[in-house]
Amino acid sequence: MPLKFSLNPYLEDRDGVLYIDGVSSLELVDKFDTPLYVLAERRIRENYRRLYEALRRRYEKVRIYYSAKANTGLSVLKILESEGSYLDAVSPGEVFLALKAGFTSDRILFTGTSVRNDELRYLVDSGVTINIDSLSQLRRLLKIHVPEVLSVRVNPEIGAGHHEHCITAGRNSKFGIWDADVVKAYRYAKNAGVKRFGMQMHIGSGILTIEPFLLAAEKLLNIAYHIREELDVKFDFVDLGGGIGVPYKPGEKPLDIDLYAENLIKLYVERINEYDLGEPWFCIEPGRYIICDAGILLTLVNTVKTTPFKKFVGVDAGFNTLIRPAMYGSYHPIIVANKLRSKDEEVYDIAGPLCESGDLLATGRKLPKISEGDLLAILNAGAYGFSMSSNYNSRPRCGEVLVKDGEYALVRRREHLEDLLRGQEIPSWLR
Ligand code: LLP
């Protein structure tokens, strides 16, 4: 039977055990150990297609740039490449991985902030499209190379997001170019010989209502209009960024994707006609929406500890493996993968193995009675899970498995203790 905790239809309860697209979670941990990220390929494809089709039905020229930072696994990139996705990269490393996964450079848009000159050189040599974030970056880029096509990241002064750290536009944001400087950027680029242009924004992440997207799009298209008026620049594409949220907490409703597409495309088409902007590609850059609910983190219970105040469940994944709860106070659904039919009867704090009091994956969570050796599944862990993991406390990073219709394959082996030595040298005087 399907699980009530997730929108992912490939999560199933078979006799009380969690199956992920036909594969037993118990078999996976038996084979690959814990902590273990599991990704369901069919869910990734489904999420991509649902969004693409909702937009494409309403406007011919649509591009989805998968935001790789959410999950840069090579297999994930390959899956999206095969779907026809474009890619949003924020570092030379993401460009490198995308190229390795088969994306051609014309399908990659680089958006960086505080970019080094040697990184700009790498981007130019790779042939990706660059979305500039500051006049300083633009000046330095044009000294290296004048590209045929260039995009400018605009701060539309409207930001939104699930946490202060995830709001990427507005007065306090370090990202994008402020209104008054936008025209300077395009003028400078045009005079230098750039022929074709894009305009981009990204207002924030984890947004579950349509209004902020509409308000910011209205602002951005208006800025595009002024640029066209002033400089006679035509836009190849307008990129409204990522940010579509997904429900994590009970009671949170998913964003209605049809309504999102309907409203946003309607506004887009009206404004590009009204402002005589031609027919630029309509672009967005979702990360979380594509990959979040396709990923599950499996973690083993080591310890159950009771104090006069709390019941702690000690597991083998901490904020080294999944940092979102510690970093943003984020809620992730947690289930006991081997006891899906047991009644919730105890309230626990779920604690990781790190020597930090903040290393908690959840607090005050009502779950079935948990024993050592039980397996917890942390849901909605596909986005910003592995990609934000670390080696803190000298813990090797965990492995990743891809599942598809009863089949599975290890796509990233877990690190070993030896990996902790990689790249380290002992100076001669300590030898
Ligand atoms: N485009 C740009 C330029 C971005 O900076 C981001 C995310 C995206 C697209 C994709 O946003 P999404 O569709 O995934 O919301 N670590 C945080 C999220 C940080 C997002 C940073 N930028 C979290 O775990 O919630």
Side-chain angles (χ1 to χ4, degrees):
M1 66 170 126
L3 283 187
K4 62 175 190 278
F5 308 93
S6 170
L7 296 172
N8 181 342
Y10 301 104
L11 301 185
E12 253 184 297
D13 170 348
R14 289 197 195 166
D15 293 327
V17 172
L18 174 68
Y19 274 66
I20 307 157
D21 201 6
V23 180
S24 157
S25 56
L26 296 179
E27 184 178 339
L28 288 176
V29 302
D30 213 39
K31 203 137 183 177
F32 302 115
D33 209 347
T34 50
L36 184 71
Y37 276 102
V38 184
L39 291 160
E41 173 168 343
R42 294 204 286 182
R43 184 61 176 170
I44 304 173
R45 293 188 186 276
E46 214 172 79
N47 287 342
Y48 177 85
R49 288 178 197 171
R50 183 184 325 105
L51 185 56
Y52 181 74
E53 280 157 19
L55 295 162
R56 182 58 220 282
R57 265 204 303 282
R58 297 170 164 102
Y59 186 69
E60 184 96 4
K61 292 171 70 179
V62 166
R63 286 178 185 164
I64 292 186
Y65 285 77
Y66 166 63
S67 190
K69 64 183 80 61
N71 191 319
T72 35
L74 264 191
S75 311
V76 171
L77 301 182
K78 269 192 164 300
I79 290 167
L80 289 158
E81 195 283 324
S82 74
E83 288 291 328
S85 178
Y86 286 64
L87 187 124
D88 154 43
V90 288
S91 68
E94 288 186 358
V95 170
F96 172 79
L97 290 171
L99 292 170
K100 288 277 176 214
F103 282 90
T104 47
S105 58
D106 57 328
R107 280 165 72 190
I108 302 173
L109 179 67
F110 175 88
T111 299
T113 185
S114 191
V115 185
R116 292 162 49 114
N117 290 341
D118 59 345
E119 293 178 332
L120 288 172
R121 164 58 63 196
Y122 174 81
L123 300 170
V124 165
D125 291 345
S126 315
V128 301
T129 305
I130 300 175
N131 185 32
I132 60 133
D133 185 65
S134 63
L135 294 175
S136 136
Q137 187 192 345
L138 176 61
R139 277 191 288 270
R140 290 184 291 114
L141 170 66
L142 294 177
K143 270 193 210 142
I144 295 170
H145 175 72
V146 177
E148 167 87 14
V149 46
L150 186 78
S151 177
V152 172
R153 177 171 183 171
V154 173
N155 181 339
E157 298 174 39
I158 293 157
H162 71 84
H163 184 277
E164 200 189 328
H165 295 346
C166 298
I167 298 175
T168 50
R171 292 184 174 208
N172 295 323
S173 176
K174 67 173 180 173
F175 298 106
I177 298 186
W178 199 256
D179 200 349
D181 280 341
V182 175
V183 67
K184 286 190 204 155
Y186 283 101
R187 181 178 297 121
Y188 192 39
K190 190 180 174 195
N191 291 343
V194 175
K195 296 279 179 300
R196 297 186 289 124
F197 292 91
M199 185 178 273
Q200 190 266 8
M201 68 173 178
H202 171 69
I203 61 170
S205 197
I207 304 166
L208 282 169
T209 56
I210 298 170
E211 288 70 29
F213 293 113
L214 292 174
L215 285 173
E218 180 80 84
K219 183 79 198 278
L220 190 79
L221 290 163
N222 191 263
I223 294 173
Y225 164 64
H226 286 293
I227 300 298
R228 186 193 64 68
E229 285 271 277
E230 198 141 334
L231 302 174
D232 195 25
V233 157
K234 286 262 184 215
F235 292 97
D236 269 18
F237 64 90
V238 175
D239 180 339
L240 304 178
I244 304 174
V246 300
Y248 288 86
K249 280 195 200 117
E252 276 180 346
K253 293 260 173 307
L255 189 74
D256 181 335
I257 283 306
D258 256 322
L259 209 63
Y260 163 88
E262 177 68 32
N263 283 285
L264 212 51
I265 296 276
K266 184 164 174 287
L267 175 78
Y268 186 80
V269 171
E270 272 173 21
R271 292 298 172 269
I272 58 174
N273 289 336
E274 182 184 339
Y275 298 155
D276 193 19
L277 291 174
E279 261 197 11
W281 287 89
F282 173 98
C283 308
I284 54 168
E285 303 174 347
R288 192 186 314 267
Y289 182 80
I290 306 283
I291 191 75
C292 185
D293 68 8
I296 294 99
L297 171 61
L298 298 175
T299 180
L300 188 75
V301 175
N302 300 317
T303 313
V304 182
K305 183 197 267 190
T306 306
T307 74
F309 311 100
K310 296 243 181 210
K311 284 198 174 74
F312 289 102
V313 169
V315 295
D316 60 5
F319 74 62
N320 55 320
T321 314
L322 177 69
I323 203 172
R324 302 191 70 260
M327 189 149 173
Y328 315 114
S330 299
Y331 181 106
H332 282 260
I334 298 182
I335 55 182
V336 186
N338 56 319
K339 289 182 176 167
L340 294 182
R341 304 217 173 150
S342 308
K343 229 180 44 263
D344 290 345
E345 51 183 334
E346 300 274 0
V347 175
Y348 295 110
D349 282 8
I350 312 293
L354 303 180
C355 293
E356 294 246 4
S357 292
D359 184 31
L360 298 171
L361 295 170
T363 53
R365 208 54 82 84
K366 197 158 184 207
L367 291 166
K369 195 166 169 42
I370 291 177
S371 325
E372 292 162 14
D374 279 344
L375 182 68
L376 301 193
I378 303 177
L379 308 184
N380 279 355
Y384 308 107
F386 189 91
S387 67
M388 292 180 83
S389 67
S390 75
N391 285 125
Y392 186 46
N393 274 198
S394 293
R395 292 197 168 268
R397 258 180 278 231
C398 71
E400 283 183 299
V401 168
L402 188 71
V403 298
K404 190 185 89 174
D405 196 10
E407 277 184 82
Y408 57 85
L410 187 69
V411 292
R412 191 190 302 264
R413 72 154 174 84
R414 81 180 42 261
E415 290 177 353
H416 305 301
L417 292 178
E418 287 295 315
D419 290 311
L420 298 173
L421 299 171
R422 206 175 18 172
Q424 296 209 54
E425 302 277 352
I426 298 183
S428 58
W429 65 89
L430 290 179
R431 268 182 219 144

